[in-house]
Amino acid sequence: MQVALIQQHYHGSKEETIAHTVTQIQAAANHGASLVVLQELHQTEYFCQSEDTKFFAYANSFKKDVAFWSQIAKKHNIVLVTSLFEKRTAGLYHNTAVVFEKDGSIAGKYRKMHIPDDPGFYEKFYFTPGDLGFEPIQTSVGKLGILICWDQWYPEAARIMTLKGAEVLIYPTAIGWFEEDSKEEKQRQLDAWITIQRSHAIANAIPVISCNRVGFESDASGVMKGTKFWGHSFICGTQGELLAHAKSEEDTILYANISHTRTKEVRDIWPFLRDRRIEAYKCLLKRYCDDR
Amino acid sequence: MQVALIQQHYHGSKEETIAHTVTQIQAAANHGASLVVLQELHQTEYFCQSEDTKFFAYANSFKKDVAFWSQIAKKHNIVLVTSLFEKRTAGLYHNTAVVFEKDGSIAGKYRKMHIPDDPGFYEKFYFTPGDLGFEPIQTSVGKLGILICWDQWYPEAARIMTLKGAEVLIYPTAIGWFEEDSKEEKQRQLDAWITIQRSHAIANAIPVISCNRVGFESDASGVMKGTKFWGHSFICGTQGELLAHAKSEEDTILYANISHTRTKEVRDIWPFLRDRRIEAYKCLLKRYCDDR
């Protein structure tokens, strides 16, 4: 099965950014991709660099956005993974991936469960943590374990998706460097980000698709300079082997063929699921195991 | 704090192998290491390549072995992580890491929790799964999260050790290739093994020390040719960055300086522990989440 992800920079406005994405989706469909993955909050700039109530306006169009991407999926006969700003009611918003079936119907949605909050990534201001749990979404191209950005640092999330039958893990994401960090620190952060996601493929013997934003975006508040989103989107196989890997500067479409049958082959030689010591894992449900 | 691990091949007999290990420990202590880690079942060949009751004889000396390594730790004034074949009573054996304090006292022990069983690695025949849980061991050089070989594939084990206060993860291990596997398959397996362990450092922001056996050992039963233990022992830092990395053929001592204070620095910028969704992790305690 051929899959594609679209790594792109913010094109200055929601309209121009969406227009670019649509041409890329068309190209991916023409190339033969049956699953197309977009990056986190792909319609706009990464507005969480500052806390400003004006940005909640982006979520007003959630229902329209869903209708729009639905017809794009249908037009190109693809399964499409989007990442949208969901307004549920006034004062209640989520960071939500909506997955569309080839006929444009909604296959399912995932609301980001782990919400970050650190300088330049003020997501706790904007997004209520997801309340749909870690539930894979059944589609015509397989059962998709959709997770979003900060989720990628949590082996728990990847494992639960796997135990619920996910056949591939998909991470729309928006991560980057501060320019003022040292070259060594940047390299450690990038390597860590790639490594942890490859490890989810390895621990669970399923492919991983990670689609990151690229390019510099300034901090609208002026408090910080801004973030250089580091690209490096990738697709890896069931042993964590890189099948396709983007660079750090360019808008690009990445393609790979992934195999659901490889999961069984790998699990037969490395049967990690067989030997989990579930009776000894209770501590995983605690905040910290200090008996407080 | 300087740490050392000793990667070595089997020297043809228990006596000669131990003699070699002792000279290496002396060298590591002279070099200034305050913590020395040995590989899995370092006293003998990796006997689990076949199922033969004769090998249980190796466990008869468990108490003597403990006394021996105790005096080595004391002599060199080091914290020492050993990996021994423990006879608990007739017909009840464990794969056990015994950790010695600088004065030769037993700081604690860990009985391997996840036991593999696949061609060439028939450990379920020899070892009862550990019943001490995942408990870090307090020593004068920090709280050590000792795990053994197959445990390294389980993010659950690394996380629990972390939640119980481990400051470093330590994996004595014995893993290798079958020569008949393709070059590509070998590379995927090696990369997966390094990647999953580095990911435990990243997810938990603590260093990882992984000490693997090296060299070819034939299958005593003659059923299979044997296993080429792939070495590649390594020490990585709190962001998974490689601090020291051994080659695939050589006996070697690896050294690195690891920092417990770096954990706080990294967790302050990437506070993964803050945001775990523990109320949504119940599935982790199930074998498989198919409601059966």
Side-chain angles (χ1 to χ4, degrees), chain A residues 45 50-60 125-126 220-221:
Chain A
E45 74 271 44
S50 60
E51 300 192 1
D52 192 326
T53 55
K54 77 179 181 192
F55 289 120
F56 287 116
Y58 278 142
N60 286 336
F125 175 71
Y126 293 104
S221 73

Side-chain angles (χ1 to χ4, degrees), chain B residues 101-203:
Chain B
E101 198 34 272
K102 290 176 177 177
D103 63 2
S105 62
I106 295 177
K109 63 184 174 182
Y110 168 78
R111 292 182 176 136
K112 188 172 182 175
M113 289 286 284
H114 299 98
I115 306 293
D117 199 281
D118 50 279
F121 296 83
Y122 298 105
E123 295 199 17
K124 289 193 194 296
F125 176 71
Y126 293 103
F127 309 123
T128 291
D131 56 354
L132 299 176
F134 304 99
E135 294 290 342
I137 295 170
Q138 184 67 59
T139 73
S140 59
V141 296
K143 214 166 171 179
L144 311 183
I146 312 286
L147 295 163
I148 302 172
C149 204
W150 195 237
D151 292 323
Q152 69 214 350
W153 301 102
Y154 294 84
E156 293 93 338
R159 181 70 96 197
I160 293 172
M161 285 294 193
T162 303
L163 293 175
K164 291 190 172 184
E167 294 169 294
V168 55
L169 295 173
I170 296 174
Y171 295 91
T173 178
I175 188 168
W177 296 297
F178 299 129
E179 296 285 21
E180 54 270 35
D181 279 339
S182 71
K183 190 180 160 191
E184 292 73 22
E185 176 63 20
K186 286 176 182 168
Q187 194 60 47
R188 281 195 298 270
Q189 292 185 6
L190 174 60
D191 284 350
W193 176 80
I194 295 170
T195 301
I196 192 93
Q197 291 178 94
R198 290 179 61 206
S199 85
H200 303 325
I202 296 162

Side-chain angles (χ1 to χ4, degrees), chain B:
Chain B
M1 177 178 80
Q2 188 186 113
V3 301
L5 66 81
I6 295 169
Q7 167 178 305
Q8 63 177 50
H9 70 279
Y10 173 57
H11 284 246
S13 72
K14 182 173 172 180
E15 292 66 33
E16 290 190 46
T17 304
I18 289 176
H20 178 78
T21 306
V22 167
T23 63
Q24 299 291 85
I25 289 174
Q26 177 151 21
N30 290 346
H31 193 275
S34 53
L35 169 67
V36 177
V37 176
L38 305 180
Q39 68 206 27
E40 187 180 20
L41 300 169
H42 53 83
Q43 299 189 129
T44 62
E45 74 270 44
Y46 181 73
F47 53 83
C48 314
Q49 287 202 59
S50 60
E51 299 192 2
D52 192 327
T53 55
K54 77 179 181 193
F55 289 120
F56 287 115
Y58 277 142
N60 286 335
S61 60
F62 177 67
K63 286 181 184 171
K64 273 190 197 164
D65 296 337
V66 168
F68 177 80
W69 295 107
S70 161
Q71 55 92 11
I72 295 292
K74 183 177 180 180
K75 179 177 175 188
H76 298 292
N77 194 37
I78 51 164
V79 172
L80 179 64
V81 178
T82 64
S83 169
L84 306 173
F85 189 12
E86 176 183 11
K87 180 179 176 180
R88 207 162 160 190
T89 188
L92 180 56
Y93 305 84
H94 295 287
N95 185 327
T96 301
V98 182
V99 179
F100 299 94
E101 198 34 272
K102 290 176 177 177
D103 63 2
S105 62
I106 295 177
K109 63 184 174 182
Y110 168 78
R111 292 182 176 136
K112 188 172 182 175
M113 289 286 284
H114 299 98
I115 306 293
D117 199 281
D118 50 279
F121 296 83
Y122 298 105
E123 295 199 17
K124 289 193 194 296
F125 176 71
Y126 293 103
F127 309 123
T128 291
D131 56 354
L132 299 176
F134 304 99
E135 294 290 342
I137 295 170
Q138 184 67 59
T139 73
S140 59
V141 296
K143 214 166 171 179
L144 311 183
I146 312 286
L147 295 163
I148 302 172
C149 204
W150 195 237
D151 292 323
Q152 69 214 350
W153 301 102
Y154 294 84
E156 293 93 338
R159 181 70 96 197
I160 293 172
M161 285 294 193
T162 303
L163 293 175
K164 291 190 172 184
E167 294 169 294
V168 55
L169 295 173
I170 296 174
Y171 295 91
T173 178
I175 188 168
W177 296 297
F178 299 129
E179 296 285 21
E180 54 270 35
D181 279 339
S182 71
K183 190 180 160 191
E184 292 73 22
E185 176 63 20
K186 286 176 182 168
Q187 194 60 47
R188 281 195 298 270
Q189 292 185 6
L190 174 60
D191 284 350
W193 176 80
I194 295 170
T195 301
I196 192 93
Q197 291 178 94
R198 290 179 61 206
S199 85
H200 303 325
I202 296 162
N204 300 296
I206 54 177
V208 168
I209 301 170
S210 180
C211 183
N212 191 27
R213 180 179 287 258
V214 73
F216 179 78
E217 296 182 23
S218 60
D219 173 2
S221 73
V223 171
M224 300 179 74
K225 283 180 189 166
T227 298
K228 169 80 166 54
F229 294 95
W230 68 42
H232 278 281
S233 301
F234 68 87
I235 303 167
C236 72
T238 50
Q239 289 166 297
E241 76 278 15
L242 288 172
L243 302 174
H245 196 180
K247 295 183 180 160
S248 64
E249 304 288 343
E250 297 167 13
D251 282 19
T252 188
I253 309 178
L254 275 195
Y255 298 101
N257 287 303
I258 63 173
S259 158
H260 295 327
T261 56
R262 184 74 181 141
T263 292
K264 178 194 153 22
E265 293 167 15
V266 172
R267 286 189 189 163
D268 281 353
I269 61 161
W270 280 351
F272 307 142
L273 294 188
R274 181 190 63 188
D275 294 330
R276 295 175 68 243
R277 295 293 306 273
I278 53 176
E279 79 286 6
Y281 289 170
K282 293 189 182 68
C283 178
L284 293 173
L285 304 191
K286 294 192 178 181
R287 182 64 59 210
Y288 196 66
C289 300
D290 51 3
D291 300 321
R292 262 169 286 178

